[in-house]
Amino acid sequence: MKFCLFGADKISLPWAEKIQAVLVRKRIGVIYKFERATVSNKGVASIDDGKNLLSSVDAVIITCNIPTGEVNYLIASAVSNNKPLLCFVSDNNGIPEALQTFLKDYRNFGKTILDIHTFSYSDFEDNLNVFIDKIVDIILTERPRIKFTLRITPAIDKYLSEKSAETGLSKADFVRDLIFKEKKD
Amino acid sequence: MKSKILLIFAFQSSCLQEAHKKEVLHFLLKTPEIKLIADYDIKFIFFAPGLTGWKHIVDVVYSNYSDYFGVILFVDIDRVLFLSNIISFVFQSLNKAIVFTGAKQNLLVNSVDAKSNLINSFQIASIPIQEVCLVFGSRVLRPSRSFISRDSQYNLFSATEDGLIGKIDFGFTPISMKQSSRNSKMIFAPNINDRISHLNLYPFTNLEVLTCGVGDGALIQGGIIDNQATEAIHKCCDRVVLFDTQGHRQCDQCINIEKCQLEAAVSKLMWSLGQTHDLKKFRNLFKANLTGEWGYSL
């Protein structure tokens, strides 16, 4: 699992660093850019194929004092890539009206999570944890729709048949569960 | 000036144009996030083939240029290189961005890159970039140094090192941006002469073809320019550009160019011919490095 984290300005930088620490603690990969810092090598490498940076991550987190043009661009990119987004805006300034109008319209047809909060010390970590849990749930409960052929040996097939009988799951569900467990850990 | 962006969809006119327009409007309705970056007005241009069509696009851009913070042209990717090069010569000393973008598939709703290219274009048109640029995938390129690339599904164009204006990751990361004052006066030079020929000189090409009428100017690509070829060129016309040829001799009628992009050279030839009938002025104008098209002084 990989998140994109953007600390848009100096004022919100301590929040971005706090989020980074939480993500690292939860063993979630992170491509980040903080004000006056450079994009990590990993970030640069992921955009060389011309894809939108956000298409390679599972979710986006932004911290800012006031949403600037760059923040609005990232929000728009996250929405168009159907990526869950959490944006912390300083409670000194509140959420700008244009953004509030967009959120209101978006909730009428949007499929992904789009949470924009004003932040304060008291509820910050709660919001972050709720958001991360929501994303993990979405990723794990999404209906499988990509089909591909996997060639296996007779020994693996025998093993899967035994496991299927033992657990009451189909062979495909059993393999999927193994991957989910691996991803969650 | 309104802090708004003008979004122009320019397609060649066809019987399907109304359906096309409907599809674009539906696509934009389903992409409300664009308005988070900038407010915009939409214009559709269904242009006729050839020079009339190009002039139509130039006129629409010119008549709206001063009313908007930036201009985005969404065009067919087959035409984007020529069109963006022509616009680079027609509109000089810009104080805002004229962004060209497009999509791989014609049907926008199914396109994998239309939305992302359009959002990136809005981001570029909203910041103080003061030149014509191509926005495809994660690259912001200078048209005069760009060429078609097969690097990836999304980066449809690539450029020489001096043609990379910037990259897009978390936002726009500038690499080599032109700096001029936001108050600088734009130079508008719209005349274009489309009476040109582009010839490839293969080893066994009959040089008589050069005397069959090549128009007001010719771009000769490849081949060896020996005495015989030089003689044929003399009879051909007095405004000839030799592009990546070998063994060329000094001759007043020819301008030798190399290490540049074909689209930029052809566009520059058409534009330079449109500006003057005087041979000396034409040569000076063609040789001038107006948009970095030569990458070096000729």
Side-chain angles (χ1 to χ4, degrees), chain A residues 10 31 35 38 71 76 129 156:
Chain A
K10 266 185 182 170
I31 300 175
E35 162 71 0
T38 50
V71 170
N129 284 324
I156 296 173

Side-chain angles (χ1 to χ4, degrees), chain B residues 171-204:
Chain B
F172 173 66
T173 309
I175 293 174
S176 71
M177 267 168 74
K178 269 188 192 169
Q179 292 293 338
S180 60
S181 160
R182 188 86 193 163
N183 299 321
S184 67
K185 199 162 163 43
M186 184 258 290
I187 300 166
F188 181 57
N191 293 336
I192 302 160
N193 184 340
D194 62 343
R195 288 181 41 78
I196 64 152
S197 302
H198 172 209
L199 302 157
N200 258 303
L201 279 195
Y202 296 106
F204 303 107

Side-chain angles (χ1 to χ4, degrees), chain A residues 80-149:
Chain A
S80 75
N81 279 282
N82 289 324
K83 297 295 171 187
L85 177 133
L86 177 64
C87 178
F88 290 104
V89 182
S90 162
D91 56 4
N92 294 334
N93 302 298
I95 302 166
E97 214 179 300
L99 202 50
Q100 284 188 32
T101 313
F102 171 76
L103 279 174
K104 210 172 138 193
D105 292 346
Y106 178 82
R107 285 191 179 119
N108 293 332
F109 68 91
K111 290 178 209 156
T112 54
I113 311 169
L114 183 62
D115 279 347
I116 298 186
H117 293 280
T118 53
F119 60 74
S120 59
Y121 273 104
S122 54
D123 62 353
F124 167 75
E125 209 148 321
D126 287 343
N127 276 332
L128 184 64
N129 284 324
V130 168
F131 177 75
I132 291 172
D133 290 344
K134 263 191 208 171
I135 292 165
V136 173
D137 277 353
I138 285 177
I139 293 166
L140 296 186
T141 56
E142 200 181 18
R143 201 169 66 86
R145 56 194 162 75
I146 299 164
K147 205 172 164 185
F148 85 107
T149 310

Side-chain angles (χ1 to χ4, degrees), chain A residues 4-5 32-33 47-51 53 72-76 80 99 102 109, chain B residues 32-33 36-37 115-116 119-120 123 137-138 152 154-155 167-171:
Chain A
C4 168
L5 171 62
Y32 67 93
K33 186 185 182 186
I47 60 158
D48 274 354
D49 60 359
K51 273 187 199 166
L53 171 76
N72 285 337
Y73 164 73
L74 268 185
I75 296 175
S80 75
L99 202 50
F102 171 76
F109 68 91
Chain B
E33 56 268 30
L36 269 183
I37 307 171
K115 213 183 237 190
S116 152
I119 286 174
N120 288 344
Q123 174 69 352
S138 56
S152 78
Y154 301 93
N155 283 330
K167 279 193 166 192
I168 299 167
D169 42 64
F170 284 84

